[in-house]
Every structure is written in structure tokens, then in C-alpha cells.
Amino acid sequence: YALDYKAFDLQRIELLSGPQGTLYGASAMGGLLKYVTQAPDLGVFEERLQAEVSSSRHGRSNYAGRMAINAPLVRDQLGVRAVAFLEESGGVIDDPARGRNDVDSAKAVGGRFSVLGKLGEDADIRLSATYQDIERDGSTLVDRYVTGRPVRGEYEQSVLLDEPLEQNIQLYSAVINWDLSWATLTSATGWQELELSTDA
């Protein structure tokens, strides 16, 4: 149920060994993956588009579209960067007993928005927001015996009721950097909201 952070328009991904300190919380004792997003560029206008079509064996087709736009509002002083995406997965798991195919099909929509502004020669502030909504029609599980052999088919399950899942995640952050010449002072504040609804 964690955030499915899309790699599109990321600056880099860092692998930090644990334990990490209070900056990342008590849940980072074993280490963490850190996704570093692209900051707004205050000097150039940029746009990127990406489309993807694929097919899954035993399932329907998959579609994805992604877009990123960077725009300086006040050159070298204020800029914004926005990322949006839409992904649809056709699913591969069937439920023959109820006459349903591709019960694990899913849809994900979301994006990121970031504003970077200069607070003077030596300081800047970056405000960011991330939104993601995931809807899945059913479970991806296949019924199997303890030996691992499928009870029915390799891509089949049998459930009494639907097992839909809907997850909404919102992340907000504010980062201030102040160059003191002999060191850089950084203030980072974040807020996360997660809503999860499932009948599984």
C-alpha cells in the first residue's frame, strides 16, 4: 500500500543503508530508497511526453501516458514544474466461477507539482505536492495448494465477493535552503495523507 512513485522525470534514486536517523523516521531502520525529483529550472522552458502500449500474456492490453512541463515564471527567480500520468493495466487473473476475466485490472492517475523561488542571493524555497489515486478491480492472487500447484488454472481464482481496492495518497513538502558560506542550513517540512478502501 506504499506510494508507487513513477520513475518518469526523476533526477535520481538513492539507496541509503540503515539505520537512518530521525530525518526519515523509525521505519527506516533497515534503510530506504530515496526518490529525488527534478527541481524546477528557473532558466528554460521544457516539456516532455511519453506514451506506452504493451500487452500481457493471458490478459488485455496496457496503456500509459506521462507528461512533464517546466516553466520559469520570473527568469532566475521563480519557476514551476508539473508532472502528470495516467496508467491502465489490463489484468491477467480470471474468475471462471463468476464468469469474470481480468479481475485484477487497475488504473492509476496522479502527478507532481513543484514551485521553486529565490529568497535572495543565498536562500531559496521549494514547495511540492504529489497526488496519486489507484483503483484495482480485484486481487492478483491465484488459488494454490500448499505444494504450490494451482487449484484451478495458472491464472485463475475463485472468490465469493469482489475484492476491489482504492488508494489515494497526497504528499506535501516545503524545503528551505540557506547558504551560510561555511555551511548550508536546510529546513524540510512534510505532510502525508493516505486513504485506503478495500473489501479484501
Side-chain angles (χ1 to χ4, degrees):
Y1 301 130
L3 175 68
D4 183 12
Y5 225 115
K6 307 303 177 183
F8 179 70
D9 201 50
L10 285 182
Q11 184 184 80
R12 65 183 184 275
I13 300 177
E14 299 178 357
L15 175 60
L16 306 180
S17 60
Q20 293 294 322
T22 56
L23 179 61
Y24 297 104
S27 299
M29 292 302 294
L32 58 90
L33 284 173
K34 180 180 179 182
Y35 297 89
V36 182
T37 59
Q38 290 278 12
D41 190 319
L42 303 182
V44 298
F45 178 84
E46 176 188 10
E47 58 181 346
R48 298 172 58 197
L49 296 173
Q50 185 182 76
E52 181 180 310
V53 178
S54 63
S55 61
S56 301
R57 185 177 298 177
H58 306 289
R60 299 199 308 264
S61 298
N62 313 299
Y63 307 93
R66 306 174 186 94
M67 174 184 66
I69 296 178
N70 183 92
L73 302 181
V74 179
R75 189 172 182 84
D76 299 327
Q77 295 295 322
L78 180 66
V80 298
R81 192 176 192 94
V83 177
F85 70 88
L86 171 64
E87 299 182 358
E88 293 190 11
S89 173
V92 296
I93 307 299
D94 299 332
D95 189 343
R98 298 193 300 147
R100 296 192 61 199
N101 295 328
D102 307 320
V103 297
D104 60 326
S105 59
K107 178 180 179 180
V109 60
R112 303 189 296 271
F113 185 79
S114 184
V115 179
L116 177 64
K118 292 289 187 180
L119 299 178
E121 291 294 329
D122 303 319
D124 60 62
I125 181 171
R126 182 181 175 187
L127 305 176
S128 302
T130 298
Y131 173 88
Q132 184 177 96
D133 189 79
I134 299 175
E135 297 180 2
R136 194 180 68 208
D137 292 335
S139 168
T140 59
L141 299 179
V142 174
D143 300 328
R144 296 181 183 274
Y145 294 108
V146 293
T147 59
R149 184 170 60 90
V151 174
R152 296 166 184 82
E154 186 68 29
Y155 300 93
E156 295 181 356
Q157 63 176 226
S158 179
V159 297
L160 295 176
L161 301 173
D162 292 336
E163 298 179 336
L165 177 144
E166 184 173 355
Q167 175 177 284
N168 179 276
I169 295 180
Q170 300 177 47
L171 302 175
Y172 305 95
S173 66
V175 178
I176 300 176
N177 290 303
W178 185 12
D179 186 359
L180 304 175
S181 71
W182 52 273
T184 300
L185 177 64
T186 299
S187 170
T189 303
W191 178 265
Q192 172 180 299
E193 293 186 12
L194 186 150
E195 295 182 4
L196 177 66
S197 174
T198 176
D199 295 332

